[in-house]
Amino acid sequence: MTATLLFADMEDSTTLARDLGAEYAHALRDYRVLIREACLAAGGREQDAQGDAVFFVFARAHDAVAGAVAAQRSLAAGAWPGGKTVRARMGLHTGEMELAREVYVGLDIHLAARVAGMAHGGQVLVSDVTRTLVQHDLPTGVDLRDLGLHRLKDFATPERIHQLIIAGLPADFRPLRSQVALAHNLPAQVTSFVGRERQVAEARQMIETRRLVTLTGVGGAGKTRLALRVASDVLEEFPDGVWFVELAPLADPALVPQALASTLGLGEHPGRSLEATLAEYLRSRQVLVVLDNCEHVIAASAALVEPLLTGSPKLRVLATSREALGVSGEVILPVPSLSVPADHRLPPVEALATFEAVRLFVHRASAAAPEFRLTEANAPAVVQVCRRLDGLPLAIELAAARVKVLSVEQIAARLDDRFRLLTGGSRTALPRHQTLQAAMDWSYDLLSEEERVLLRRLSVCSGGFTLEAAEMISSDGALGAPEVLDVLTHLVDKSLVLVDEDEGQKRYRMLETVRQYGRDKLWQSGESERLRTRHREWFLALAEQAEPELRGPDQAAWLTRLDVEHKNLRAALEWSKQEPGSGEACLRLTGALWWFWNIRSHWSEARSWLEGALAHAGSTPGPARIKVMQAAGFLAYGQDDYARAVALGEESLARCRASGDVHGVAVSFNLLGLVAWGQGDTGYAATLFTQSLALFKETRDPGGIARSLYDLGNVAGAQGDYARAEAMYTESLSLARNLGDARIIADSLNNLGHVVHQQGDAERAARLLQESLSLARMLGYRQGIARGLFRLGLVERRRGQLDRAVELLEESLGLFRDSGDRGSAAFTLATLGTLAQARGEYDLAAARLKESLHQLKELGQRGSIAKALEGLAALHMARGAAERCARLLGAAEALRESIRTSVPAAERDDYERSLADARTALGDEAFAAARAAGRTLTTEQAIDFALREPAGPTAAR
């Protein structure tokens, strides 16, 4: 069996027995009781107790840690006779053992006892096996400290030992009582090492096969901690020692050889260079040298290392630096940031421990404030802090230390001023590790003037940049475009700029911490406004280049390109709103981007930018303003803000008529037609769509023609004229295919599939809808995906596959809600309500239909309201409330007549069944009276009637 073993014995028990005399028996009894109670409460089983030694077995490593912690706290709080202190030394190890004649036996039991035997009173030691099991599941206020490798009596292989750091109890003890230590000068790590499992493994493998391994990365990435961890892991492999050489304090590169010699205990000899002395000493020794922080003495480090490696075949060097040493045979291992959750999702709290940055923050925050815990409430802020600090260990540790005085939410809110917030590191650390500002200053001061200029100029880019963007934005008389590539390469070499490659295209980026540092330097240089304007002009040109492509055959590629540059586009928009006199540029940029935002369902953000551009531009006339007004109107319609959509549509119509802009008039008619359609006025909508179609034909706009045909097909379908709707969709689809506009193709296929379904051809409908869905997925067109899923759900319902239909509709509901399309979400809820009723889930059906009706009442979508009323009518009939069913059917009937729509063909059988069942239950006369009463209700009265009484057996009586 596998279990976690806890051994404990009393420190200096002989001395205590002599000093306490007869009272020692009472102290020993209380000592045993406290340990036993703590361990039993944690789920342990007592296996042995001899004198002051006890042995417990736990099924879970976490429980063993909890028992040890509780026992140490109880002992520390105990009142002992004679004013003495009674302390236990404890060891935990997880391993295999067997039960033989009621006694547990196994080598791991002896190993656990050896671990405990190294401890001092009040200290809890943990083997590396146990550490791996509990490191992500430690009790509150408990941390782990790596104490390195130690030889244990009778065990040939050294064991890595860790200490539990228990808040409120002593944490610093004398060196462990292990056998002869391995030769090294590695500093003890006072905090636990978190994450980096993959990098540790890679570095260890490299050291086995390569002579020089250099860990590179930006300041604060944790290169030193990683090097120390790797070095301690390979101690056993270097019998002549592992030696750590800290180069950061050196101001003179000439002192590099002296630093290594001093570490090795070598002195100078008259008439002999220090380099020769080092070479002689290392020639036959199997040594690992860790050269830490080589970047400011890079040339001297390389000049020392290369001849030593040549003359010392058993020597290995592990270096840390912002850039490579450039020595022959060097292998480079970049040290990335710690892993953080992706921007687009927040995992469940229990899964956050799998992300290294979150784990580090929680560990360090718990050490600073033992009461700190990761919870559902603070998890979003913790993730935000880790993301905004780029997963940089130094920054995260400094931020976590602030939980003593700030909540995590407050820390997150202050990160725009991160270089002021993140101060106060360990007083014993190097000065540049005590604040984030100092760490960045260290890197910046080592740059050439050209490198500093480019670093701060590139800080205007957000989310990365291409080489072309860097050349156009950053070059001027002081830094020519041909020079940008060389200087950029130097910044990459120094780990201040990162390179990503996707499908053969290289893209550059800075960590946000580096970018904000560069932004501050840019502001101090006085170049900020000029560079931000150049950045805006570059991305305005990109957006205007992309605009026509977003409606053509290369639509998907341009959508992806704008996705990649979205942060830069936002930065350009932000500057356009701030810069005086930039109203026209702001209108042009938002007008060029609105179709991208629309396809990607960034509706709320898009409306904010568009409305902001209109406000910033004031009364600026011209086509750019009209385009933005129309765009804002279409998006207002998409979010069911009909009043704003009408206001923008009517104002744009008036301006276009006044300026003689026929195409603009067509667009305005189309917008106003959509609003009429959304409000259920299909007659007026048809008139406006027809006028729009004629003007698009006059201006020879095939895209506009396709959209107007598509809209007229919707009207025909709602009115039950499926043949005409199919003809409209087919013509729209043909035009869209000629244009290569995948978005309109997807929409036309979707609606064509729907109308084919209404005519009873479920198989053809499914094929059309699947094609539409595939195109929408290819584009990342979330509304198209949601509509495709919705209508495929209707097809599955008709096929009798109710479970599959519910699955598809629920997925579409989530997408509609995420995009802010409340009208479609409410309609989908109503459909799910009717599905629940068909499955006999009456309570769920009532809840969904009523929730839908509440939302539709607010939106004023009369066609959808009629559907919800019909769904509730069917539910009432199923529960025996025939009179209420008849009234609701009458109300829905009158509403459909007022907006000139009919019950969809696919739903007519259910509708007719409700009518027939209500008539049979009530009789002709009572049925006619109830139906007529329903027809007299206004829309609001009908909704109130539907919501006022619960649908259920009580209502039926």
Side-chain angles (χ1 to χ4, degrees), residues 587-666:
L587 289 171
R588 286 171 57 197
L589 186 52
T590 52
L593 289 173
W594 91 270
W595 195 242
F596 159 69
W597 286 323
N598 187 32
I599 294 176
R600 287 292 189 250
S601 297
H602 299 313
W603 291 353
S604 296
E605 178 184 0
R607 286 188 68 190
S608 176
W609 288 121
L610 291 162
E611 296 282 8
L614 291 172
H616 181 60
S619 58
T620 303
R625 183 177 187 83
I626 291 172
K627 181 198 288 187
V628 171
M629 291 177 63
Q630 291 171 336
F634 280 115
L635 291 172
Y637 156 75
Q639 290 194 306
D640 309 304
D641 187 354
Y642 298 140
R644 182 58 178 159
V646 167
L648 289 164
E650 289 179 345
E651 185 178 351
S652 69
L653 179 61
R655 286 175 179 262
C656 290
R657 280 173 167 164
S659 64
D661 180 0
V662 177
H663 186 270
V665 171

Side-chain angles (χ1 to χ4, degrees), residues 335-348:
V335 179
S337 299
L338 298 176
S339 59
V340 298
D343 285 344
H344 61 278
R345 67 185 184 93
L346 180 67

Side-chain angles (χ1 to χ4, degrees), residues 244-274:
F244 180 76
V245 185
E246 173 56 83
L247 300 180
L250 302 185
D252 184 355
L255 296 177
V256 171
Q258 181 62 62
L260 176 56
S262 297
T263 300
L264 296 174
L266 302 178
E268 296 190 51
H269 298 279
R272 190 179 192 189
S273 70
L274 198 53

Side-chain angles (χ1 to χ4, degrees), residues 526-853:
E527 293 185 311
S528 183
E529 292 188 6
R530 181 169 64 87
L531 264 295
R532 292 183 76 181
T533 298
R534 293 178 70 172
H535 173 271
R536 193 266 316 285
E537 294 306 314
W538 170 265
F539 285 101
L540 172 58
L542 174 68
E544 292 185 330
Q545 181 186 1
E547 184 180 10
E549 304 290 346
L550 292 178
R551 298 178 187 268
D554 294 328
Q555 187 177 52
W558 279 95
L559 284 168
T560 300
R561 185 168 180 184
L562 293 183
D563 281 333
V564 170
E565 298 292 5
H566 203 181
K567 289 183 179 179
N568 274 313
L569 294 165
R570 288 172 175 138
L573 285 163
E574 195 61 47
W575 176 238
S576 296
K577 286 174 62 178
Q578 297 174 20
E579 185 186 26
S582 62
E584 180 72 13
C586 195
L587 289 171
R588 286 171 57 197
L589 186 52
T590 52
L593 289 173
W594 91 270
W595 195 242
F596 159 69
W597 286 323
N598 187 32
I599 294 176
R600 287 292 189 250
S601 297
H602 299 313
W603 291 353
S604 296
E605 178 184 0
R607 286 188 68 190
S608 176
W609 288 121
L610 291 162
E611 296 282 8
L614 291 172
H616 181 60
S619 58
T620 303
R625 183 177 187 83
I626 291 172
K627 181 198 288 187
V628 171
M629 291 177 63
Q630 291 171 336
F634 280 115
L635 291 172
Y637 156 75
Q639 290 194 306
D640 309 304
D641 187 354
Y642 298 140
R644 182 58 178 159
V646 167
L648 289 164
E650 289 179 345
E651 185 178 351
S652 69
L653 179 61
R655 286 175 179 262
C656 290
R657 280 173 167 164
S659 64
D661 180 0
V662 177
H663 186 270
V665 171
V667 173
S668 299
F669 278 152
N670 186 261
L671 168 58
L672 292 168
L674 287 172
V675 177
W677 163 255
Q679 292 178 311
D681 195 341
T682 53
Y684 186 42
T687 300
L688 290 168
F689 290 147
T690 301
Q691 291 175 314
S692 175
L693 175 62
L695 293 177
F696 280 133
K697 287 180 176 179
E698 181 182 332
T699 57
R700 299 181 180 179
D701 177 3
I705 295 170
R707 288 192 298 276
S708 293
L709 287 168
Y710 168 92
D711 293 328
L712 283 166
N714 288 343
V715 173
Q719 293 174 337
D721 190 346
Y722 299 125
R724 184 165 179 268
E726 183 174 355
M728 294 284 186
Y729 293 144
T730 301
E731 187 177 353
S732 172
L733 178 60
S734 176
L735 286 168
R737 290 195 190 279
N738 289 336
L739 290 169
D741 189 335
R743 192 259 168 109
I744 299 183
I745 295 173
D747 284 344
S748 296
L749 284 167
N750 186 294
N751 278 5
L752 185 58
H754 181 61
V755 78
V756 166
H757 174 229
Q758 293 296 337
Q759 295 177 88
D761 191 344
E763 299 308 316
R764 184 185 171 210
R767 290 195 300 272
L768 291 166
L769 291 169
Q770 287 288 3
E771 184 182 353
S772 170
L773 188 58
S774 296
L775 272 177
R777 291 192 192 279
M778 181 270 293
L779 285 177
Y781 172 31
R782 297 179 70 188
Q783 282 296 101
I785 296 170
R787 292 188 191 119
L789 292 168
F790 175 83
R791 284 177 169 167
L792 277 171
L794 298 183
V795 172
E796 292 301 325
R797 178 183 180 178
R798 189 162 195 164
R799 288 168 163 174
Q801 302 298 317
L802 298 189
D803 290 346
R804 178 59 178 158
V806 169
E807 182 182 331
L808 291 166
L809 288 168
E810 286 183 340
E811 187 178 351
S812 73
L813 176 63
L815 289 171
F816 283 133
R817 283 173 167 168
D818 288 347
S819 65
D821 187 348
R822 296 185 299 155
S824 296
F827 189 81
T828 305
L829 262 178
T831 307
L832 281 165
T834 62
L835 262 175
Q837 188 259 318
R839 285 153 53 107
E841 299 170 332
Y842 294 159
D843 290 342
L844 178 61
R848 285 182 161 172
L849 285 163
K850 289 188 174 186
E851 182 183 354
S852 169
L853 204 51

Side-chain angles (χ1 to χ4, degrees), residues 141-169:
V142 178
D143 204 346
L144 284 164
R145 176 182 294 173
D146 185 353
L147 301 183
L149 289 170
H150 293 266
R151 292 186 185 276
L152 306 179
K153 182 182 177 181
D154 301 324
F155 286 86
T157 304
E159 178 74 21
R160 179 171 293 282
I161 301 299
H162 307 264
Q163 176 189 323
L164 291 184
I165 306 301
I166 306 170
L169 298 184

